[in-house]
Amino acid sequence: MENFMTTLTTRRSFLKAATATAATLVATRALFPSGAFAQSNGPEVTGAKLGYIALTDASALIIAQEKGLFAKHGVPDVQVQKQASWGATRDNLVLGGAANGIDGAHILTPMPYLMTAGTVTGGTPVPMSIIARLNLDAQGISVSQAYKDSGVGVDASPLKQIFAERKAAGTEVNVAMTFPGGTHDLWMRYWLAAGGIDPNSEVSLITVPPPQMVANMKVGTMDAFCVGEPWNEQLVNQGVGFTATTTGELWKGHPEKALSLRNDFVEANPVATQAILMAVMEAAQWADLTENKQELAQILGKRSWFNIPAADVAGRLKGDINYGNGRVETATGLEMKFWKDHASYPFKSHDAWFLTENVRWGYLPGTTDITASVDAVNREDIWRAAAAALGVAAADIPEGTSRGSETFFDGKVFDPANPSAYLESLAIKAVV
């Protein structure tokens, strides 16, 4: 497991990184007064190295490659490279494309913030920019078949007594997520805490790469996990466990992965950055069309991408969910969204929630300036410039940078204008 807690940054180092990043971005914008990413004489480079994890929410990068969209927008040499884990993604981003690493990635939304702060990079800030969201919804919290009669679902509380009894008997309760402080960690923690289970003291949170979740559940090394698709669906298809809840049932329409690039790449290659983003946005539009879902499942299942049966992808991609515990739902509205409902636009208010949850669990200090941090990393202005160049309909471009207050399944409300009130409303947390 990656030792995350020992690399927590101080407020000073976090704000120093954020301030430095903001300063360089302001300088970049000054160089391009009519819009840093307005098309000029073509991209500065014809390629970039982009990482992805074998997860359905990487679809826009994969389709942009498969359908020739990077070439269409003037960057034919973009490479979409599989990463073994989120830790490997981070390490390759630290290296950068010029040093045999990668320039950007399909990434857990909080990671660019944690990298910019230096909390997951050994204390050395690696400034990153989020230029798009890649999807909404369609992650899952799955549980071992050993708990099939517990009654656990969106309400995690039936597991509290069971977990307590297991621990009292000397049996470790292992609950897996994919990266400390990442989205899956935060969904798992939220679900457990809402059910009265303290994730810091009543279970052991372990880190497992997404493609290894099902195999680990099969051999009994974990009791539950949170991961993106197709791995929850594959778990059910193999009869290894069941889905207690999808994350869309915790927070419908929630943000998930992001497209993030190293700041130095963005600053050196503003036109190429826009070209990459335009290809990904066009791919997201394609992936969201109902008539393309089956083809998308077939593409993702290829040996060169996920190397799994298309059936492990197709159901939940369409919003049809077999939970594996006798519950089967169709047309749920919980399908992964790549474009509709402003799925591609990186709302700053959503990033504020992720940072607030990282403060909640002690991954970031309570003194973190959330607004300054979001302003330094979130480059929604790049998205808007790309949308304009692509001719995106006005209805598909949000009017502002906030989606407003968000309400969760347990009634908690996050007002991005007042994160402290949200924190104070939570009974279980690490922050004092």
Side-chain angles (χ1 to χ4, degrees):
M1 188 190 307
E2 297 174 63
N3 190 354
F4 185 80
M5 293 300 291
T6 58
T7 58
L8 289 177
T9 187
T10 63
R11 179 175 185 266
R12 180 176 298 174
S13 65
F14 184 89
L15 292 180
K16 181 179 179 181
T19 301
T21 300
T24 53
L25 294 178
V26 168
T28 299
R29 291 167 194 164
L31 293 173
F32 299 90
S34 63
F37 300 90
Q39 291 285 6
S40 56
N41 296 321
E44 303 82 359
V45 293
T46 59
K49 298 175 183 176
L50 304 179
Y52 81 99
I53 297 283
L55 289 163
T56 306
D57 40 43
S59 291
L61 270 67
I62 293 168
I63 291 303
Q65 181 90 36
E66 285 271 336
K67 298 293 182 179
L69 298 177
F70 289 123
K72 174 182 175 180
H73 290 284
V75 281
D77 301 318
V78 168
Q79 300 174 38
V80 180
Q81 302 178 349
K82 185 179 289 187
Q83 308 295 299
S85 66
W86 294 119
T89 299
R90 172 204 56 203
D91 294 345
N92 283 323
L93 282 168
V94 170
L95 285 172
N100 255 352
I102 55 179
D103 301 297
H106 150 250
I107 201 166
L108 299 164
T109 288
M111 284 182 66
Y113 288 96
L114 300 174
M115 293 181 66
T116 297
T119 66
V120 296
T121 52
T124 301
V126 179
M128 299 290 297
S129 290
I130 287 176
I131 62 172
R133 200 80 64 206
L134 290 176
N135 70 297
L136 304 178
D137 291 335
Q139 315 298 292
I141 295 177
S142 290
V143 182
S144 166
Q145 289 286 27
Y147 300 95
K148 64 181 180 181
D149 297 324
S150 67
V152 66
V154 67
D155 178 10
S157 63
L159 294 176
K160 184 175 177 66
Q161 185 61 33
I162 298 172
F163 284 172
E165 291 172 357
R166 285 175 64 85
K167 290 195 72 174
T171 302
E172 198 68 39
V173 176
N174 289 321
V175 174
M177 45 73 183
T178 63
F179 190 85
T183 57
H184 303 123
D185 183 26
L186 301 182
W187 305 135
M188 178 62 81
R189 287 175 177 274
Y190 195 102
W191 178 68
L192 289 171
I197 301 168
D198 190 329
N200 283 344
S201 62
E202 296 181 59
V203 300
S204 295
L205 279 165
I206 62 174
T207 303
V208 176
Q212 297 178 23
M213 287 292 189
V214 176
N216 275 273
M217 182 78 85
K218 192 176 294 185
V219 298
T221 58
M222 63 179 72
D223 298 274
F225 63 66
C226 182
V227 74
E229 297 304 334
W231 308 114
N232 298 284
E233 186 159 7
Q234 184 182 86
L235 182 85
V236 170
N237 289 345
Q238 294 187 7
V240 178
F242 64 94
T243 297
T245 184
T246 64
T247 50
E249 291 170 89
L250 304 181
W251 174 12
K252 190 169 184 180
H254 72 76
E256 182 52 40
K257 304 299 187 302
L259 173 59
S260 182
L261 296 172
R262 286 175 55 109
N263 277 357
D264 54 9
F265 182 91
V266 173
E267 292 160 12
N269 308 292
V271 180
T273 296
Q274 176 171 298
I276 290 168
L277 180 52
M278 290 169 69
V280 171
M281 292 166 76
E282 192 170 333
Q285 294 172 349
W286 183 93
D288 235 14
L289 295 175
T290 301
E291 59 266 31
N292 293 335
K293 298 293 187 184
Q294 191 58 43
E295 183 183 351
L296 176 55
Q298 294 288 343
I299 290 171
L300 297 180
K302 287 182 179 180
R303 181 179 295 275
S304 57
W305 297 113
F306 294 3
N307 193 27
I308 63 171
D312 288 346
V313 185
R316 298 187 189 203
L317 190 60
K318 301 172 183 176
D320 298 336
I321 305 172
N322 174 7
Y323 288 78
N325 58 359
R327 179 186 176 194
V328 178
E329 305 280 352
T330 58
T332 62
L334 297 172
E335 71 277 2
M336 188 170 289
K337 300 157 189 73
F338 302 103
W339 184 257
K340 64 184 177 183
D341 299 336
H342 301 311
S344 175
Y345 176 77
F347 282 100
K348 287 188 174 184
S349 58
H350 289 162
D351 287 6
W353 181 82
F354 285 118
L355 285 177
T356 302
E357 281 289 309
N358 268 275
V359 169
R360 175 187 184 182
W361 299 114
Y363 292 130
L364 290 172
T367 52
T368 297
D369 188 330
I370 290 173
T371 299
S373 303
V374 171
D375 286 343
V377 175
N378 184 299
R379 294 301 310 276
E380 59 82 34
D381 60 306
I382 298 176
W383 189 96
R384 290 180 183 275
L390 199 59
V392 171
D396 288 335
I397 302 176
E399 292 184 3
T401 63
S402 174
R403 202 171 71 173
S405 295
E406 305 283 353
T407 302
F408 298 81
F409 82 107
D410 57 349
K412 297 296 181 184
V413 176
F414 176 73
D415 178 356
N418 191 5
S420 60
Y422 168 78
L423 277 174
E424 289 169 8
S425 75
L426 302 167
I428 299 177
K429 54 198 171 193
V431 67
V432 177

